[in-house]
Amino acid sequence: MFEIICNGRGVYRSDKYPNPQSRVVDLNHLNLPEGAEVWVVVHAVLGKTKESWEHVIYSRGSSDTAVYRVTGTIWSVSVRLEN
């Protein structure tokens, strides 16, 4: 599962799902403040938690998409921004 963090607080948490699957979250539905700093934290079931070190700035009018790729195992997780 993963969590979206906005300005240091969790604003969304996904359900548990097996690898390799993906999820899409439209940040416009989360009522985030303009210019907020956003990133993800990944929680491997029975394993490690990994926070992305790459953060993005939220802009409601932007057509940009932030894609984070998670790889690894429950004991060694990597999270990186793809674009």
Side-chain angles (χ1 to χ4, degrees):
M1 90 176 91
F2 68 92
E3 185 173 8
I4 296 174
I5 308 298
C6 174
N7 291 338
R9 66 177 181 85
V11 294
Y12 175 86
R13 185 178 280 239
S14 75
D15 56 341
K16 296 176 186 175
Y17 57 93
N19 188 18
Q21 289 186 7
S22 63
R23 297 293 187 268
V24 175
V25 178
D26 184 346
L27 297 183
N28 290 320
H29 296 146
L30 298 180
N31 210 17
L32 303 179
E34 185 71 24
E37 186 175 16
V38 180
W39 65 96
V40 298
V41 176
V42 175
H43 306 278
V45 177
L46 300 175
K48 299 287 185 180
T49 294
K50 183 71 172 192
E51 183 172 328
S52 65
W53 61 270
E54 298 139 320
H55 299 187
V56 296
I57 301 301
Y58 173 72
S59 176
R60 183 171 300 280
S62 175
S63 62
D64 291 342
T65 300
V67 176
Y68 286 92
R69 179 163 310 273
V70 179
T71 57
T73 67
I74 62 172
W75 303 116
S76 176
V77 178
S78 171
V79 182
R80 65 185 169 99
L81 186 62
E82 286 282 298
N83 50 345

